[in-house]
Amino acid sequence: MRILLVDDNSTNLKLLTKLVGKLDNCEAVAFSSPDEVLSSLPDIDFDIAIIDYQMPVYNGVELYTEIVRFDKYADVPVIFVTADKDMTTRMAALNAGAIDFLTKPVNPMEFQARVQNIVSLSRARRQLADQAEWLRREVDRAVGELRQREQEIIHRLTVAAGYKDPETSRHTLRVAAYSEAIALELGLSPEFCNDIRMAAPMHDIGKVAMPDTVLLKQGRLTEAEYRQMQAHAQIGSDILARSHSSLLQLASEIAVSHHERWDGQGYPNRLAGTAIPLSGRIVCIADNFDALTTERPYKPAWSFERTVEHILGRAGTQFDPDCVAAFERALPRIRQIMEDDRREQAQEAVQKTFTTSNEKVA
């Protein structure tokens, strides 16, 4: 336990230092003037302060007021040493934060009793703080483990959703990355941006309930098939609903809202404007961008430029204007994500060809 001593009288300072040395496991940090203390802040480490009240330039209260401007000293208990028994002086010290007084000349027995009590209280407070910090770390660790399990669940469900169509898995991961990029440009919290990246791959989980004749159809859907496919938004939400996991709750929200339109002409609930959850408005743009820039059985892939122009032109009708503006700001990152994915697909195709050739030779 380090105890700061400040007294401009060298005899008093030596006495205080000697008395501190007699306390169990206590060390004196002695200064003979307020100026020396102030010039050493905030590099001094101490747990208790014992300060003479009457000193030149700065009195004890003025010095302590300067000390506690530093956050690290805000909770340090202070004892003032004074020969002045005037109530005005003592009230000024109490108002500054004093928890006790020592009267000059200092009585060694009184010093030991008063300071030892404060040392014991400070040690108890430190132990409580250490326990609180340990508890905080344990809670953070438990929450981290829980979040990892939630992420694993989402990953496995995403893999299952794309089992029939490998391209669906890649689509969901790209949509997740695009959604995070847009969320970041909206200035949303890092926690939310990470969560939307984790939850967005579940936006099409409801397609597991679609018949293969519809889901894997090579060509445009009929009107009846399209209406049947639209049901995937509500089904996906129902699959994920009522979970206690915040990530799965977010995924449910995205699943049901990512086909809603800003003008209220979307599905399944024809929500409009800010009635659509922000997560759904973000993923709506990411989903549309990826759908347009990738080849589908019923259409070729659009160029990056054409797709961007398409989305920008539908701000205020199909898409949230603020989300479109964020999408535009995120375009460098979005282009990079798209190019990295295509490069990875090309490498996987080469590796697959190489592996197949080796199997034939064997």
Side-chain angles (χ1 to χ4, degrees):
M1 186 71 64
R2 290 168 60 85
I3 300 178
L4 174 70
L5 303 174
V6 188
D7 196 318
D8 64 312
N9 185 296
S10 61
T11 301
N12 289 339
L13 187 61
K14 288 177 182 177
L15 173 61
L16 294 174
T17 301
K18 183 178 179 180
L19 292 175
V20 167
K22 293 182 178 181
L23 299 172
D24 291 340
N25 298 314
C26 288
E27 174 187 358
V29 183
F31 288 87
S32 60
S33 75
D35 286 338
E36 290 181 11
V37 177
L38 294 175
S39 64
S40 300
L41 299 178
D43 298 326
I44 314 172
D45 292 321
F46 57 91
D47 306 287
I48 298 171
I50 300 177
I51 303 174
D52 184 30
Y53 181 82
Q54 194 60 51
M55 294 184 292
V57 184
Y58 290 92
N59 65 35
V61 170
E62 292 169 341
L63 173 60
Y64 185 66
T65 300
E66 292 299 316
I67 289 174
V68 295
R69 291 183 188 276
F70 296 93
D71 290 341
K72 67 181 289 186
Y73 307 123
D75 297 322
V76 170
V78 60
I79 302 169
F80 284 110
V81 183
T82 179
D84 193 346
K85 297 182 180 180
D86 180 69
M87 184 57 66
T88 302
T89 299
R90 297 200 170 222
M91 286 303 300
L94 288 170
N95 289 334
I99 64 169
D100 207 347
F101 297 93
L102 289 169
T103 302
K104 290 183 177 180
V106 174
N107 181 292
M109 297 295 291
E110 181 186 12
F111 179 95
Q112 184 170 11
R114 290 181 181 274
V115 177
Q116 186 62 59
N117 285 339
I118 294 171
V119 166
S120 298
L121 288 172
S122 295
R123 283 176 177 154
R125 186 175 66 180
R126 178 185 291 179
Q127 289 173 351
L128 287 173
D130 290 344
Q131 290 173 357
E133 176 60 21
W134 174 84
L135 181 60
R136 185 194 63 78
R137 290 197 302 267
E138 287 298 299
V139 169
D140 287 347
R141 182 183 62 80
V143 170
E145 291 177 354
L146 178 61
R147 181 50 59 96
Q148 287 180 350
R149 288 196 290 270
E150 290 176 342
Q151 292 174 355
E152 177 70 10
I153 290 169
I154 288 178
H155 173 69
R156 296 301 175 187
L157 288 173
T158 302
V159 170
Y163 190 77
K164 294 178 182 178
D165 180 10
E167 175 52 31
T168 297
S169 294
R170 300 199 71 95
H171 162 72
T172 59
L173 295 177
R174 289 191 300 267
V175 168
Y178 298 150
S179 297
E180 180 185 34
I182 295 169
L184 287 168
E185 289 299 332
L186 279 170
L188 301 176
S189 70
E191 293 78 14
F192 181 84
C193 295
N194 180 70
D195 284 355
I196 201 169
R197 177 178 59 83
M198 295 305 305
M202 302 291 290
H203 68 281
D204 279 339
I205 188 67
K207 288 184 177 179
V208 298
M210 297 297 104
D212 288 355
T213 53
V214 175
L215 184 64
L216 304 178
K217 183 176 180 179
Q218 299 295 308
R220 286 190 174 276
L221 301 178
T222 65
E223 184 64 28
E225 290 169 337
Y226 181 67
R227 285 197 300 272
Q228 188 175 16
M229 181 64 82
Q230 285 181 328
H232 83 275
Q234 187 62 58
I235 292 172
S237 179
D238 292 344
I239 291 172
L240 302 168
R242 299 184 182 87
S243 170
H244 293 295
S245 162
S246 60
L247 271 178
L248 291 178
Q249 290 170 7
L250 179 60
S252 175
E253 176 182 274
I254 290 170
V256 77
S257 63
H258 74 285
H259 282 296
E260 300 288 358
R261 289 174 51 114
W262 185 255
D263 59 11
Q265 299 304 304
Y267 66 87
N269 297 313
R270 298 182 71 83
L271 300 178
T274 56
I276 306 168
L278 178 58
S279 60
R281 287 178 261 153
I282 292 171
V283 174
C284 178
I285 294 176
D287 187 36
N288 274 266
F289 176 83
D290 191 70
L292 293 173
T293 52
T294 53
E295 184 178 354
R296 297 293 174 90
Y298 52 86
K299 73 164 191 67
W302 285 17
S303 69
F304 180 88
E305 293 73 19
R306 181 185 177 189
T307 305
V308 170
E309 182 180 358
H310 173 87
I311 290 175
L312 297 184
R314 282 160 176 73
T317 54
Q318 185 175 357
F319 306 118
D320 176 353
D322 289 340
C323 290
V324 171
F327 163 79
E328 187 172 18
R329 294 192 296 272
L331 284 175
R333 174 61 183 154
I334 288 172
R335 183 191 286 272
Q336 187 63 53
I337 293 167
M338 185 174 69
E339 291 176 352
D340 288 347
D341 180 75
R342 289 179 176 175
R343 189 178 304 111
E344 185 178 327
Q345 287 189 70
Q347 291 172 349
E348 289 178 359
V350 170
Q351 182 63 38
K352 184 176 181 180
T353 301
F354 178 77
T355 301
T356 301
S357 297
N358 285 345
E359 289 174 350
K360 290 181 179 178
V361 170

